[in-house]
Amino acid sequence: MRVVIAGGHGQIALLLEQQLAARGHAATALVRNPDHFGDVQEAGAVPVLCDLESAELDSVASYLNGADAAVFAAGAGAGSGAARKDTVDYGAAALFASACVEAGVRRFVQVSTVGIEAADSPDVDPSFAVYLKAKKLAEEDLKPRDLDWTILRPGPLVNDPGTGLVTLGAPRLPRSPVTRADVAAVLAELIEAPGTVGKTLELVNGETPIAEAVRAVL
């Protein structure tokens, strides 16, 4: 398969690129900084210069032509302001999904987050609420589209080594962390699992081997 990844220099994306290369797939990584091309190539992917905050729809679609699947793994990051959370976590996700529709790439996996149900809660820190609202808007934008989408909502992310063991299921899992390596491994499995189309899945570390966890939700 050829897989195009938005946010191709992110921590999860780089790990996913390694996973895809190990499985014999070809990954194209959309990257906004040419200084990051070396990291992407080392991970086994082909970097393409594309800033989803300023790119035109047709140019993004051109990178997707001929692809078998797409993964949205971009994010503004913890240190970004409210404006960039809107333009990246929501705006870039919507643009990337539109480009997939235009290019005819049906398989689409979107990385979201747990907790978006609390986006409007007064108990949530305002800066974090902006992030949750952007992710919620991105999900709402994706669901009506004519794409074979799967939404993955990881729990709080940690950089520990991957365990290969997770809990994967319908929303409202007990809140718990998950390693970025395990998120990447689950994404690699989901790309190859059309039985997860139309599902919104939450992910935390647990006790079930990843391949088995994915099969259980098919």
Side-chain angles (χ1 to χ4, degrees), residues 2-213:
R2 176 172 169 256
V3 182
V4 179
I5 303 169
H9 187 257
Q11 295 181 71
I12 290 172
L14 289 170
L15 293 165
L16 173 59
E17 289 151 19
Q18 294 172 15
Q19 290 271 346
L20 293 174
R23 291 167 179 249
H25 302 311
T28 298
L30 304 189
V31 180
R32 66 187 182 91
N33 185 343
D35 292 341
H36 296 157
F37 277 22
D39 294 337
V40 169
Q41 291 165 333
E42 187 175 343
V46 176
V48 171
L49 188 63
C50 178
D51 185 347
L52 289 172
E53 289 182 89
S54 59
E56 297 292 332
L57 174 62
D58 288 347
S59 68
V60 181
S62 70
Y63 303 132
L64 286 151
N65 284 333
D68 301 291
V71 178
F72 183 81
S80 61
R84 290 208 67 231
K85 288 181 174 64
D86 183 63
T87 57
V88 178
D89 292 286
Y90 167 48
L95 173 63
F96 193 55
S98 294
C100 284
V101 173
E102 182 165 314
V105 180
R106 295 199 57 84
R107 187 70 178 114
F108 191 99
V109 181
Q110 182 157 295
V111 181
S112 186
T113 183
V114 296
I116 65 171
E117 300 86 357
D120 298 312
S121 171
D123 299 326
V124 176
D125 177 84
S127 62
F128 188 58
V130 171
Y131 168 72
L132 293 177
K133 289 176 182 177
K135 287 296 190 185
K136 183 178 181 180
L137 286 171
E139 288 193 12
E140 292 172 348
D141 173 84
L142 176 62
K143 288 178 178 179
R145 292 181 183 270
D146 185 22
L147 292 169
D148 295 335
W149 57 263
T150 302
I151 294 170
L152 182 65
R153 296 179 179 173
L157 299 168
V158 296
N159 284 326
D160 297 338
T163 67
L165 302 172
V166 299
T167 298
L168 179 69
R172 307 295 180 98
L173 290 179
R175 188 172 178 83
S176 181
V178 61
T179 74
R180 286 180 169 84
D182 287 319
V183 175
V186 170
L187 288 171
E189 288 284 341
L190 290 176
I191 290 167
E192 300 176 348
T196 63
V197 167
K199 294 182 183 293
T200 299
L201 303 169
E202 292 194 353
L203 173 69
V204 297
N205 277 123
E207 300 180 354
T208 306
I210 287 171
E212 182 180 332

